[in-house]
Amino acid sequence: MAETFKHLAQGQVVHTGNAAAQELYEAPSGTTAIIGHIRLANTNAAARTVQLYQNGVAATNVILPTLSIEGGGWAEFTGSIILDAGDKLYGISNSESTSVTYNIYGLEVT
């Protein structure tokens, strides 16, 4: 069994008016992923909100409820989110642009 700590994903969270929740990361086939750290940064001057979900976007899938990030600010999640092969992490923002960025760090076990 191999364990690899790595930068799992990065990008920009989509605007709720432009699309449904965006897939931020999917655990690869034959892999269990343990997300240990997520950093969200607001690159805009105005406050933005973001939500995170696991395996769907229903209320029961929320892992980070609506969080407001001040302009130029950032927020971090540190903990453990276990994703089995094919499980997904989703995000959505109220931003009028792609001004909320994300970086996800964790462990992939194969």
Side-chain angles (χ1 to χ4, degrees), residues 28-42:
S29 176
T31 302
T32 296
I34 304 169
I35 296 173
H37 188 90
I38 301 172
R39 177 174 273 233
L40 301 162
N42 179 0

Side-chain angles (χ1 to χ4, degrees), residues 45-70:
R48 301 294 187 218
T49 63
V50 67
Q51 294 172 291
L52 298 179
Y53 301 85
Q54 182 176 351
N55 290 330
V57 294
T60 56
N61 300 93
V62 172
I63 57 172
L64 180 68
T66 303
L67 172 69
S68 181
I69 304 173
E70 66 183 52

Side-chain angles (χ1 to χ4, degrees), residues 14-99:
V14 298
H15 178 302
T16 56
N18 294 338
Q22 172 186 359
E23 181 183 312
L24 305 182
Y25 174 77
E26 179 179 359
S29 176
T31 302
T32 296
I34 304 169
I35 296 173
H37 188 90
I38 301 172
R39 177 174 273 233
L40 301 162
N42 179 0
T43 59
N44 195 288
R48 301 294 187 218
T49 63
V50 67
Q51 294 172 291
L52 298 179
Y53 301 85
Q54 182 176 351
N55 290 330
V57 294
T60 56
N61 300 93
V62 172
I63 57 172
L64 180 68
T66 303
L67 172 69
S68 181
I69 304 173
E70 66 183 52
W74 52 271
E76 292 183 319
F77 166 86
T78 302
S80 295
I81 301 170
I82 310 301
L83 299 175
D84 292 321
D87 287 355
K88 298 176 183 180
L89 182 69
Y90 294 93
I92 198 161
S93 173
N94 77 331
S95 165
E96 292 300 328
S97 63
T98 52
S99 58

Side-chain angles (χ1 to χ4, degrees), residues 3-6 8 25 31-36 105-109:
E3 297 179 357
T4 307
F5 186 78
K6 60 195 285 189
L8 299 172
Y25 174 77
T31 302
T32 296
I34 304 169
I35 296 173
Y105 304 90
L107 184 69
E108 287 184 340
V109 181

